[in-house]
Amino acid sequence: MQTSASKIAIATLTLALLAGCSSSGPEQPAAPTESKTPVAPASPSGTPVAPPAVSGKTMTPEEALMASLKDPNSPLSKRIIYFDYDSYAIKDSYASLVSAHAKVLVANPKLKMLIQGNTDERGSREYNLALGQKRAEAVKRALMLLGVQEAQIESVSLGEEKPRMEGSDEAAYAENRRSEMLYSGEF
Amino acid sequence: MFKIFRLMATTLLLAATAAQAQLTVEITGAGANRIPVAIANFAGDGLLPQALTGVVRADLERSGLFKLVDPGTTPVPENAAIDLNQWKDRGADALALASILPAPGGRYEVRMRLYDIARQNKPDGMIFLFGAATVRETGHRIADFIHEKLTGERGVYSTRIAYVVKTGKSYELKVDDADGQNPRTALRSSEPIISPAWSPDGTRLAYVSFQAKKPIIYVHSLATGTQTVVANFKGSNSAPAWSPDGKRLAVVLTKDGSSQIYSINADGSGLTRVAGSTTIDTEPQFSPDGQHLYFTSDRGGSPQIYRVAATGGTAERVTFEGSYNVSPRLSPDGKMLAYVSRNGGRFQVTVMDLASRQIQILTDSSRDESPSFAPNSRTILYASEVGGRGVLSAVSSDGRVKQKLSGQAGGDVREPAWGPFNQP
Amino acid sequence: MLARRGIATALAMLSIGSAPAWALFDDDVARQRIEALKLESTTRLGKLDAQVEQSQRVQLDLNNQIEALRAEIAKLRGQNEVLTYELEAATKRQKDFYLDLDNRLRALEAAPAAAAAAAPAADPAAEARDYEAALNLLKGGKFADAQAAFEAFITTWPQSSFQPAAHYWAASSGFQAKNYPRAAELYQAVHAQWPSDVRAPEALLGLANTQQVQGDTKGAKKTLDTVVAEYGSTPAADVARQRLKQLAPPPKKK
């Protein structure tokens, strides 16, 4: 149902967003040369960007943004940062993920993000709530260092209350030690 | 010697409550020196929709402090002439006799007489007027009376407990009588509810709800069912604890970064910061005299319990053994501190005698959390886990009497909070 | 990002600002220059981008390092808290232990301490000589001197087996010398310290005498009662019974 034109438009927009130039508006389409990100109308994995099922028409920038946030092939669809046991440091492997989200937030100052920190189920619920807060704060600080305005981000904790995986083994614990990023409209 | 006592069997008559989720109380360990007491069948018990005698007996037996002596099946009126030696021979140190009589307005009158055979005191007596709907309450009050006369300390049979049940994806904040009967749902939510805390007057519960995708502190009025937001600041809002005068709450906010302790009026006004650090400070609890706040902090690299003056100042570390000591709770008499310690990967309820700093691990399973003192300081209610499911358990503060309170099948019971003596 | 946008705007303004110069060049030259400018700005922007990104990476890294240091400081603080607590506990234990030890030693030292200072090395001959000398003074009727000599013996030879005897004779000498209060103390000491010594009942009789002499009939009676109660089968008890009869008030007439 999507026209190929809209596909391209979305791809370009997404890249523009990633490059941090979206607010320049449609009359100033992002020059590919301005972006340090490799320019290719495809996701990092090399498969074509799957069109989000929104409508047959060209999307507004906001719609395009929200679509890209949900697009499983966009790095922006990755919203979870996992932590080691008893650790609140963002591992190096998440640097590009954090920076991709930072660029979106910088480019869209009206966009808000809720970061929810989580822990595994061991120990006191209230103390775990405080530990989850540390995980959320770590992501918030990283985003702020990448230029995001503090007013755009709220870091909260869900403690051990919202596990992604039920169970009392290390696999479940590892899956639950995480921070999740939610954008306006998702919380 | 292990005694198993199932309270549900005695109250299945009450269709209204039987239909709801109930907690079954099972004693899994009893005190060494239980007082043998005979509760003769109350004369006129048949007038009532539910036997009063059974409620009193169940209460006393469940405490683990009394041993019921078989009184025979014949009802004995309160004013009967009795041969105390005969009861002494049966092994009873005390004997309770009661009569129930119809009173005007469809009500009833119960007269009770308590003979302290062992100490040969003059018999004590009491009279209550009550309605058909308050048989169980009356039974608890009679049990409280007997308990206090024989042990010298107040009974807690008339108090209530609050806890959270998770069933599937639904969370309920419940309030039961201390025997697990008469459950009422104060709040139902599709998002987690944690940290219920009773106001000192027993009329309100503060708690943390995740209804808004983040933790927010509410105060819930039990009489009206109204919810008031107490703290909804940027970040997380949690760990409410009432001041002894019931006017303020100690709370934990993250509006300035890490989890920090603040004090706020129960209506959400007058926020002040109590203690400041760059690390985690959480789980505040007022000492019963209101002078100090005990709390959990990781300022020393591992979670430990600290104490600070309620007005602020330098915090003083209280726990030193082990690398994980959390969830401080002061006994209402101010003499003990209960908390959860991790010992070889097991989380266990531990109690510290504040004067001597002696500690004793009270529980022996691996996932014991959220201790809560009974208002007479004698028993600690806590959350435990059996077969992957949350259950409530209780242990006497000397570690001798143990009880298990199991909920309905499928429900995950957690976050218990024992209410105060005060009954609205 | 803001910085880059600022530069872009500046460049745009620069190209507008240079408009009057257009006339001097033909279109191609102008185009070439613009292209060159574009290329240059793009290169510079790229460099700035790289700098910003590098700076952010460094900041993130610093942030992680600060967190690690904080954790390290917290651990040290915790260790400090534990060590301080343990030191305080150890100090207190040590103090308690010392106090306890001190109290025990004090009790042990109490009796022999005074003597120990002056005590000559054990010399049985000297000990017996001192005792004999005191006894001779008593025999010679020099009661005050005898008392002093026995008292000196008591202090000089604290471990002596003559201690009960020395006390008894010191008391008797004192009684004769009319030194009643001291005599009473010494008689009492014999009974209190060596209740099974043969002189104990005799000492009580002496005490009763002393009390009677001092007008303390009630005390004397009590002492005699003690003799009867504790040493009922001894000759001293018979004496005590005799004296009790004498002390008994005349029976009241009804």
Side-chain angles (χ1 to χ4, degrees), chain A residues 85-86 114 116 121-131 133-134 137 140 150-162 166 168 173 182 186-187, chain B residues 166 171 190-192 194-195 208 210 213-215 233-236 238-240 254 257 259 280 282-283 296 298 302-303 324 326-327 342 347 367 369 414-415:
Chain A
Y85 173 66
D86 201 26
L114 181 69
Q116 298 172 325
E121 64 175 18
R122 291 171 289 180
S124 143
R125 289 178 189 275
E126 278 289 353
Y127 188 66
N128 280 342
L129 203 66
L131 292 182
Q133 186 69 33
K134 272 179 99 168
E137 279 292 313
K140 178 181 168 183
E150 182 169 16
Q152 283 178 274
I153 329 167
E154 178 170 12
S155 57
V156 302
S157 177
L158 304 180
E160 62 175 273
E161 307 305 325
K162 299 292 254 182
E166 297 283 349
S168 300
Y173 294 158
L182 279 70
E186 295 175 332
F187 58 89
Chain B
K166 184 190 178 209
Y171 297 81
S190 57
E191 295 294 336
I194 62 167
S195 307
V208 175
F210 291 74
K213 308 285 178 194
K214 59 175 268 189
F233 294 92
K234 192 172 181 183
S236 301
S238 70
T254 66
S259 302
I280 291 174
T282 188
E283 300 187 309
T296 306
D298 74 342
S302 67
Y324 192 96
V326 298
S327 308
R342 186 179 61 202
F347 296 91
R367 301 296 276 287
E369 290 179 7
R414 72 275 290 271
E415 298 288 272

Coordinates of all heavy atoms in Angstrom, one line a residue, chain A residues 85-86 114 116 121-131 133-134 137 140 150-162 166 168 173 182 186-187, chain B residues 166 171 190-192 194-195 208 210 213-215 233-236 238-240 254 257 259 280 282-283 296 298 302-303 324 326-327 342 347 367 369 414-415:
Chain A
Y85 N 25.0 -7.4 37.3 CA 24.5 -7.5 38.7 C 25.2 -6.4 39.5 O 26.4 -6.2 39.4 CB 24.9 -8.9 39.2 CG 24.6 -9.1 40.7 CD1 23.2 -9.0 41.1 CD2 25.6 -9.2 41.6 CE1 22.9 -9.1 42.5 CE2 25.3 -9.3 43.0 CZ 24.0 -9.3 43.4 OH 23.7 -9.4 44.7
D86 N 24.4 -5.8 40.3 CA 24.9 -4.8 41.3 C 25.6 -3.6 40.6 O 26.5 -3.0 41.1 CB 25.8 -5.4 42.3 CG 25.9 -4.6 43.6 OD1 25.0 -3.8 43.8 OD2 27.0 -4.7 44.2
L114 N 10.5 9.1 29.1 CA 10.4 8.5 30.5 C 11.4 7.3 30.5 O 11.3 6.4 29.7 CB 9.0 8.1 30.8 CG 8.8 7.5 32.2 CD1 8.9 8.6 33.3 CD2 7.4 6.8 32.3
Q116 N 12.6 4.2 32.7 CA 12.1 3.3 33.8 C 13.3 2.4 34.2 O 13.6 1.5 33.4 CB 10.9 2.6 33.5 CG 9.7 3.4 33.2 CD 8.5 2.6 32.6 OE1 8.7 1.7 31.9 NE2 7.3 3.1 33.0
E121 N 14.4 -9.6 41.2 CA 13.5 -9.7 42.3 C 14.1 -9.9 43.7 O 13.4 -9.9 44.7 CB 12.5 -10.9 42.1 CG 13.3 -12.2 42.1 CD 12.3 -13.4 41.9 OE1 11.2 -13.2 41.5 OE2 12.8 -14.5 42.3
R122 N 15.4 -10.0 43.8 CA 16.0 -10.4 45.1 C 16.1 -9.1 46.0 O 16.5 -8.1 45.6 CB 17.4 -10.9 44.8 CG 17.4 -12.3 44.2 CD 18.7 -12.8 43.8 NE 19.2 -12.1 42.6 CZ 20.4 -12.3 42.1 NH1 21.2 -13.2 42.6 NH2 20.8 -11.6 41.0
G123 N 15.7 -9.3 47.2 CA 15.9 -8.3 48.2 C 14.6 -7.4 48.4 O 13.5 -7.7 47.9
S124 N 14.8 -6.4 49.2 CA 13.7 -5.5 49.6 C 13.1 -4.7 48.4 O 13.8 -4.2 47.6 CB 14.2 -4.5 50.7 OG 13.7 -3.3 50.5
R125 N 11.8 -4.7 48.4 CA 11.1 -4.0 47.3 C 11.5 -2.5 47.2 O 11.7 -1.9 46.2 CB 9.6 -4.1 47.4 CG 9.1 -5.5 47.1 CD 7.6 -5.6 47.3 NE 7.2 -7.0 47.3 CZ 7.0 -7.7 46.1 NH1 7.0 -7.0 45.0 NH2 6.7 -8.9 46.1
E126 N 11.5 -1.9 48.4 CA 11.8 -0.4 48.4 C 13.3 -0.2 48.1 O 13.6 0.8 47.4 CB 11.4 0.2 49.8 CG 10.0 0.5 50.0 CD 9.5 1.7 49.1 OE1 10.4 2.4 48.5 OE2 8.3 2.0 49.1
Y127 N 14.1 -1.0 48.6 CA 15.6 -0.8 48.3 C 15.8 -1.1 46.8 O 16.5 -0.4 46.1 CB 16.5 -1.7 49.1 CG 17.9 -1.4 48.9 CD1 18.4 -0.2 49.3 CD2 18.8 -2.3 48.3 CE1 19.8 0.1 49.1 CE2 20.1 -2.0 48.1 CZ 20.6 -0.8 48.5 OH 21.9 -0.4 48.3
N128 N 15.1 -2.1 46.2 CA 15.2 -2.3 44.8 C 14.7 -1.1 44.0 O 15.2 -0.8 42.9 CB 14.5 -3.6 44.4 CG 15.3 -4.8 44.7 OD1 16.5 -4.7 44.9 ND2 14.7 -6.0 44.8
L129 N 13.7 -0.5 44.5 CA 13.1 0.7 43.9 C 14.3 1.8 43.8 O 14.4 2.4 42.7 CB 11.9 1.3 44.6 CG 10.9 2.1 43.9 CD1 10.2 1.3 42.8 CD2 9.9 2.8 44.8
A130 N 15.0 1.9 44.8 CA 16.1 2.9 44.8 C 17.2 2.4 43.8 O 17.8 3.3 43.1 CB 16.7 3.0 46.2
L131 N 17.5 1.1 43.8 CA 18.5 0.6 42.8 C 18.0 0.8 41.4 O 18.8 1.3 40.5 CB 18.8 -0.9 43.1 CG 19.4 -1.2 44.4 CD1 19.7 -2.7 44.4 CD2 20.8 -0.5 44.5
Q133 N 16.2 3.2 40.4 CA 16.3 4.6 40.1 C 17.7 4.9 39.7 O 18.0 5.7 38.8 CB 16.0 5.4 41.4 CG 15.9 6.9 41.2 CD 14.8 7.3 40.4 OE1 13.7 6.7 40.4 NE2 15.0 8.4 39.6
K134 N 18.7 4.2 40.3 CA 20.1 4.5 39.9 C 20.3 4.1 38.4 O 21.1 4.8 37.7 CB 21.1 3.7 40.8 CG 21.5 4.4 42.0 CD 22.4 3.5 42.9 CE 23.8 3.9 42.7 NZ 24.7 3.2 43.8
E137 N 18.7 6.8 36.3 CA 19.5 8.0 36.4 C 20.8 7.9 35.5 O 21.2 8.9 34.9 CB 20.0 8.2 37.9 CG 19.0 8.9 38.8 CD 18.7 10.3 38.4 OE1 19.6 11.1 38.1 OE2 17.5 10.7 38.3
K140 N 19.8 8.7 32.1 CA 19.4 10.1 32.0 C 20.7 11.0 31.9 O 20.8 11.9 31.1 CB 18.6 10.5 33.2 CG 18.2 12.0 33.3 CD 17.4 12.3 34.5 CE 17.3 13.8 34.7 NZ 16.6 14.1 36.0
E150 N 17.5 18.6 30.4 CA 17.0 17.8 31.5 C 15.4 17.8 31.5 O 14.8 16.8 31.9 CB 17.5 18.4 32.8 CG 17.0 17.6 34.0 CD 17.7 17.9 35.3 OE1 18.4 19.0 35.4 OE2 17.6 17.1 36.2
A151 N 14.8 18.9 31.1 CA 13.4 19.0 31.2 C 12.7 18.0 30.3 O 11.5 17.7 30.5 CB 12.9 20.4 30.8
Q152 N 13.4 17.5 29.3 CA 12.8 16.5 28.4 C 12.8 15.1 29.0 O 12.0 14.2 28.5 CB 13.7 16.4 27.1 CG 13.4 17.5 26.1 CD 14.3 17.4 24.9 OE1 15.5 17.8 25.0 NE2 13.8 16.8 23.9
I153 N 13.6 14.8 30.1 CA 13.7 13.5 30.6 C 13.2 13.3 32.0 O 13.5 14.2 32.8 CB 15.2 13.0 30.6 CG1 16.0 13.6 29.4 CG2 15.3 11.5 30.5 CD1 17.5 13.5 29.6
E154 N 12.5 12.3 32.3 CA 12.1 12.0 33.6 C 12.6 10.5 33.9 O 12.3 9.6 33.1 CB 10.6 12.0 33.9 CG 10.3 11.6 35.3 CD 8.8 11.9 35.7 OE1 8.0 12.2 34.8 OE2 8.5 11.8 36.9
S155 N 13.4 10.4 34.9 CA 13.9 9.0 35.3 C 13.1 8.5 36.5 O 13.0 9.2 37.5 CB 15.4 9.0 35.5 OG 15.7 9.9 36.6
V156 N 12.5 7.4 36.4 CA 11.8 6.8 37.5 C 12.2 5.3 37.7 O 12.9 4.8 36.8 CB 10.2 6.9 37.2 CG1 9.8 8.3 37.0 CG2 9.8 6.0 36.1
S157 N 11.7 4.8 38.7 CA 12.0 3.4 39.0 C 10.8 2.5 39.1 O 9.8 3.0 39.7 CB 12.9 3.2 40.2 OG 13.1 1.9 40.5
L158 N 10.8 1.3 38.6 CA 9.8 0.3 38.8 C 10.3 -0.8 39.7 O 9.6 -1.7 40.0 CB 9.3 -0.2 37.5 CG 8.8 0.8 36.5 CD1 8.3 0.1 35.2 CD2 7.7 1.6 37.0
G159 N 11.5 -0.6 40.2 CA 12.1 -1.6 41.1 C 12.0 -3.0 40.6 O 12.3 -3.2 39.4
E160 N 11.5 -3.9 41.4 CA 11.4 -5.3 40.9 C 9.9 -5.6 40.5 O 9.6 -6.8 40.3 CB 11.8 -6.3 42.1 CG 10.9 -6.1 43.3 CD 11.2 -7.1 44.4 OE1 10.7 -8.2 44.4 OE2 12.0 -6.8 45.3
E161 N 9.1 -4.6 40.4 CA 7.7 -4.8 40.2 C 7.3 -5.2 38.8 O 6.2 -5.8 38.6 CB 6.9 -3.5 40.7 CG 7.2 -3.0 42.0 CD 7.1 -4.0 43.1 OE1 6.1 -4.9 43.0 OE2 7.9 -4.0 44.1
K162 N 8.1 -4.8 37.8 CA 7.7 -5.1 36.4 C 8.7 -5.9 35.7 O 9.4 -5.5 34.8 CB 7.4 -3.8 35.7 CG 6.4 -2.9 36.3 CD 5.0 -3.5 36.1 CE 4.2 -2.8 35.1 NZ 2.8 -3.4 35.0
E166 N 9.5 -13.7 34.1 CA 9.3 -14.3 35.5 C 10.2 -15.4 35.7 O 10.7 -16.0 34.8 CB 7.8 -14.8 35.5 CG 6.7 -13.8 35.3 CD 6.5 -12.9 36.5 OE1 7.0 -13.3 37.6 OE2 5.7 -11.9 36.4
S168 N 13.1 -17.3 38.9 CA 14.1 -17.0 39.9 C 15.4 -17.7 39.5 O 16.1 -18.3 40.3 CB 13.6 -17.6 41.2 OG 12.4 -17.0 41.6
Y173 N 16.9 -13.0 36.0 CA 17.5 -11.9 36.7 C 18.1 -10.9 35.7 O 18.0 -9.7 35.8 CB 18.5 -12.3 37.7 CG 18.0 -13.1 38.9 CD1 18.8 -14.0 39.6 CD2 16.6 -13.0 39.3 CE1 18.3 -14.7 40.7 CE2 16.1 -13.8 40.3 CZ 17.0 -14.6 41.0 OH 16.5 -15.3 42.1
L182 N 10.9 5.3 27.2 CA 9.6 5.5 26.6 C 9.5 6.9 26.1 O 9.9 7.8 26.8 CB 8.5 5.2 27.6 CG 8.1 3.7 27.9 CD1 9.2 3.0 28.6 CD2 6.8 3.7 28.6
E186 N 3.8 7.2 24.8 CA 4.0 5.8 25.1 C 3.8 5.6 26.7 O 3.9 4.5 27.1 CB 5.4 5.3 24.7 CG 5.6 5.3 23.2 CD 7.0 4.9 22.8 OE1 7.9 5.1 23.6 OE2 7.1 4.4 21.7
F187 N 3.7 6.7 27.4 CA 3.5 6.6 28.8 C 2.5 7.5 29.3 O 1.9 8.3 28.6 CB 4.8 6.8 29.6 CG 5.5 8.1 29.4 CD1 5.2 9.2 30.2 CD2 6.4 8.3 28.3 CE1 5.8 10.4 30.0 CE2 7.0 9.5 28.1 CZ 6.7 10.6 28.9
Chain B
K166 N -1.4 -10.2 44.6 CA -1.3 -10.2 43.2 C -2.0 -11.5 42.7 O -1.5 -12.6 43.0 CB 0.1 -10.1 42.8 CG 0.3 -9.9 41.3 CD 1.7 -10.1 40.8 CE 1.8 -10.0 39.3 NZ 2.9 -10.7 38.7
Y171 N -3.8 -6.3 41.1 CA -3.2 -6.1 42.4 C -4.3 -5.6 43.3 O -5.1 -4.7 42.9 CB -2.1 -5.1 42.4 CG -0.9 -5.5 41.5 CD1 -0.9 -5.4 40.1 CD2 0.2 -6.1 42.1 CE1 0.1 -5.8 39.4 CE2 1.3 -6.5 41.4 CZ 1.3 -6.4 40.0 OH 2.3 -6.8 39.3
S190 N -4.5 -2.4 38.2 CA -3.8 -3.3 37.2 C -2.3 -3.1 37.3 O -1.5 -3.7 36.6 CB -4.3 -3.0 35.8 OG -4.1 -1.6 35.5
E191 N -1.9 -2.1 38.2 CA -0.5 -1.9 38.3 C -0.1 -2.2 39.8 O -0.9 -2.1 40.7 CB -0.2 -0.4 38.0 CG -0.4 0.0 36.5 CD 0.6 -0.8 35.6 OE1 1.7 -1.1 36.0 OE2 0.2 -0.9 34.4
P192 N 1.2 -2.4 40.0 CA 1.6 -2.8 41.4 C 1.3 -1.8 42.4 O 1.2 -0.6 42.2 CB 3.2 -3.0 41.2 CG 3.4 -3.2 39.8 CD 2.3 -2.5 39.0
I194 N 2.7 -1.1 46.5 CA 3.6 -1.6 47.5 C 3.6 -0.7 48.7 O 3.0 0.4 48.7 CB 5.1 -1.7 46.9 CG1 5.6 -0.3 46.5 CG2 5.2 -2.7 45.8 CD1 7.1 -0.3 46.2
S195 N 4.3 -1.1 49.7 CA 4.6 -0.3 50.9 C 3.4 0.3 51.6 O 3.4 1.5 52.0 CB 5.6 0.8 50.6 OG 6.7 0.3 49.9
V208 N 2.2 3.1 47.9 CA 2.8 3.5 46.7 C 2.1 2.7 45.5 O 2.0 1.5 45.6 CB 4.3 3.2 46.7 CG1 4.9 3.5 45.3 CG2 5.0 3.9 47.8
F210 N 1.7 2.3 41.2 CA 2.4 2.5 39.9 C 1.4 2.7 38.8 O 1.7 2.6 37.6 CB 3.2 1.2 39.6 CG 4.5 1.1 40.4 CD1 4.3 0.6 41.8 CD2 5.7 1.4 40.0 CE1 5.4 0.5 42.6 CE2 6.8 1.2 40.8 CZ 6.7 0.8 42.1
K213 N 2.4 4.7 35.7 CA 3.7 4.2 35.1 C 4.9 4.6 35.9 O 6.0 4.5 35.4 CB 3.8 4.7 33.7 CG 2.6 4.4 32.8 CD 2.6 2.9 32.4 CE 1.3 2.6 31.6 NZ 1.0 1.2 31.5
K214 N 4.7 5.2 37.1 CA 5.8 5.5 38.0 C 5.3 5.5 39.4 O 4.1 5.6 39.6 CB 6.3 6.9 37.6 CG 5.3 8.0 37.7 CD 5.9 9.4 37.5 CE 6.3 10.0 38.7 NZ 6.7 11.4 38.6
P215 N 6.2 5.3 40.4 CA 5.7 5.3 41.7 C 5.3 6.6 42.3 O 6.0 7.6 42.2 CB 6.9 4.7 42.5 CG 8.1 5.0 41.6 CD 7.6 5.1 40.2
F233 N 6.2 13.9 42.7 CA 7.2 14.8 42.2 C 7.9 14.1 41.0 O 7.7 12.9 40.8 CB 8.2 15.1 43.3 CG 7.6 15.9 44.4 CD1 7.1 15.3 45.5 CD2 7.6 17.3 44.4 CE1 6.5 16.0 46.6 CE2 7.0 18.0 45.4 CZ 6.5 17.4 46.5
K234 N 8.7 14.9 40.3 CA 9.4 14.3 39.2 C 10.3 13.2 39.7 O 10.9 13.3 40.8 CB 10.3 15.4 38.5 CG 10.8 15.0 37.2 CD 11.5 16.1 36.4 CE 12.0 15.5 35.1 NZ 12.7 16.5 34.3
G235 N 10.3 12.1 39.0 CA 11.1 10.9 39.4 C 10.2 10.0 40.2 O 9.0 10.0 40.1
S236 N 10.8 9.3 41.1 CA 10.1 8.3 41.9 C 9.7 8.8 43.3 O 10.4 9.6 43.9 CB 10.9 7.0 42.1 OG 11.3 6.5 40.9
S238 N 8.3 7.2 47.0 CA 8.0 5.9 47.6 C 8.3 5.9 49.1 O 8.6 6.9 49.7 CB 8.9 4.8 46.9 OG 10.3 5.0 47.2
A239 N 8.2 4.7 49.7 CA 8.5 4.4 51.1 C 7.9 5.3 52.1 O 8.6 5.9 53.0 CB 10.1 4.4 51.2
P240 N 6.6 5.5 52.1 CA 5.9 6.4 53.1 C 6.0 5.8 54.5 O 5.8 4.6 54.6 CB 4.5 6.5 52.6 CG 4.2 5.2 51.9 CD 5.6 4.9 51.2
T254 N 13.0 11.2 44.4 CA 14.3 11.3 43.6 C 14.3 12.5 42.7 O 15.0 12.5 41.7 CB 14.4 10.0 42.7 OG1 13.3 10.1 41.7 CG2 14.3 8.7 43.5
G257 N 17.7 13.7 41.9 CA 18.7 12.7 41.5 C 18.5 11.4 42.3 O 17.6 10.7 42.0
S259 N 17.9 8.7 45.5 CA 16.8 8.5 46.4 C 17.1 9.2 47.8 O 18.1 8.8 48.4 CB 16.5 7.0 46.6 OG 16.2 6.4 45.4
I280 N 22.1 6.3 48.0 CA 20.7 5.9 48.2 C 20.4 6.0 49.7 O 21.1 5.5 50.6 CB 20.5 4.4 47.8 CG1 20.5 4.3 46.3 CG2 19.2 3.9 48.4 CD1 20.5 2.9 45.8
T282 N 16.8 5.3 51.8 CA 15.4 4.9 51.6 C 14.9 4.2 52.8 O 15.6 4.0 53.8 CB 15.3 4.1 50.3 OG1 13.9 3.9 50.1 CG2 15.9 2.8 50.4
E283 N 13.6 3.7 52.8 CA 13.0 3.0 53.8 C 13.0 3.7 55.2 O 13.4 3.1 56.2 CB 13.5 1.6 53.9 CG 13.4 0.8 52.6 CD 13.8 -0.7 52.8 OE1 14.9 -1.0 53.3 OE2 13.1 -1.6 52.4
T296 N 17.5 2.9 55.4 CA 18.5 2.1 54.7 C 19.3 3.0 53.8 O 18.8 3.9 53.2 CB 17.8 1.0 53.8 OG1 16.9 0.3 54.6 CG2 18.8 0.1 53.2
D298 N 23.1 3.1 51.2 CA 24.3 2.4 50.7 C 25.5 3.3 50.7 O 26.4 3.1 50.0 CB 24.0 1.8 49.3 CG 24.0 2.9 48.2 OD1 23.8 4.1 48.6 OD2 24.1 2.6 47.0
S302 N 27.5 -0.8 50.9 CA 26.5 -1.9 50.9 C 25.3 -1.4 51.7 O 25.5 -0.5 52.5 CB 27.1 -3.1 51.6 OG 27.3 -2.9 53.0
P303 N 24.1 -1.9 51.4 CA 22.9 -1.4 52.2 C 23.0 -1.7 53.6 O 23.1 -2.9 54.0 CB 21.8 -2.1 51.5 CG 22.3 -3.3 50.8 CD 23.7 -2.9 50.4
Y324 N 24.2 -6.9 53.7 CA 22.9 -6.5 53.2 C 21.9 -6.5 54.4 O 21.5 -7.5 54.9 CB 22.4 -7.5 52.2 CG 21.2 -7.1 51.4 CD1 21.4 -6.4 50.1 CD2 19.9 -7.3 51.9 CE1 20.3 -6.0 49.4 CE2 18.8 -6.9 51.1 CZ 19.0 -6.3 49.9 OH 17.9 -5.9 49.2
V326 N 18.5 -4.4 55.4 CA 17.5 -3.4 54.9 C 16.2 -3.5 55.7 O 16.0 -4.4 56.5 CB 17.2 -3.7 53.4 CG1 18.5 -3.5 52.6 CG2 16.7 -5.1 53.2
S327 N 15.2 -2.6 55.3 CA 13.9 -2.6 55.8 C 13.8 -2.5 57.3 O 13.2 -3.4 58.0 CB 13.1 -3.9 55.3 OG 13.2 -4.0 53.9
R342 N 20.7 -10.4 54.7 CA 21.1 -11.4 53.8 C 22.2 -12.3 54.4 O 23.2 -11.7 54.7 CB 21.5 -10.9 52.4 CG 21.7 -11.9 51.4 CD 22.1 -11.3 50.1 NE 23.4 -10.6 50.2 CZ 23.7 -9.6 49.3 NH1 23.0 -9.3 48.3 NH2 24.9 -9.0 49.5
F347 N 17.5 -14.4 52.6 CA 17.0 -13.1 53.2 C 16.2 -13.5 54.4 O 15.2 -14.3 54.3 CB 16.2 -12.3 52.2 CG 17.0 -11.9 51.0 CD1 17.1 -12.6 49.9 CD2 17.6 -10.6 51.1 CE1 17.9 -12.2 48.8 CE2 18.4 -10.2 50.0 CZ 18.5 -11.0 48.9
R367 N 13.4 -16.3 51.5 CA 12.9 -15.1 50.9 C 12.0 -14.3 51.8 O 10.9 -14.1 51.5 CB 12.2 -15.4 49.6 CG 13.0 -16.1 48.6 CD 14.2 -15.3 48.1 NE 13.8 -14.4 47.0 CZ 13.6 -14.8 45.8 NH1 13.5 -16.1 45.4 NH2 13.3 -14.0 44.8
E369 N 10.7 -11.1 53.8 CA 10.8 -9.6 53.5 C 9.8 -8.9 54.4 O 8.9 -9.5 54.9 CB 10.5 -9.3 52.0 CG 11.6 -9.8 51.1 CD 11.1 -9.4 49.6 OE1 10.1 -8.8 49.4 OE2 11.9 -9.9 48.7
R414 N 1.8 -10.4 49.6 CA 3.1 -9.7 50.0 C 2.8 -8.4 50.7 O 1.6 -8.0 50.9 CB 4.0 -9.5 48.8 CG 3.5 -8.4 47.8 CD 2.5 -8.7 46.7 NE 3.0 -9.6 45.7 CZ 3.6 -9.2 44.6 NH1 3.8 -7.9 44.4 NH2 4.0 -10.0 43.7
E415 N 3.8 -7.7 51.2 CA 3.8 -6.4 51.7 C 2.8 -6.3 52.9 O 1.9 -5.4 52.9 CB 3.4 -5.4 50.7 CG 4.4 -5.3 49.5 CD 5.7 -4.6 49.9 OE1 5.8 -3.4 49.8 OE2 6.6 -5.3 50.3

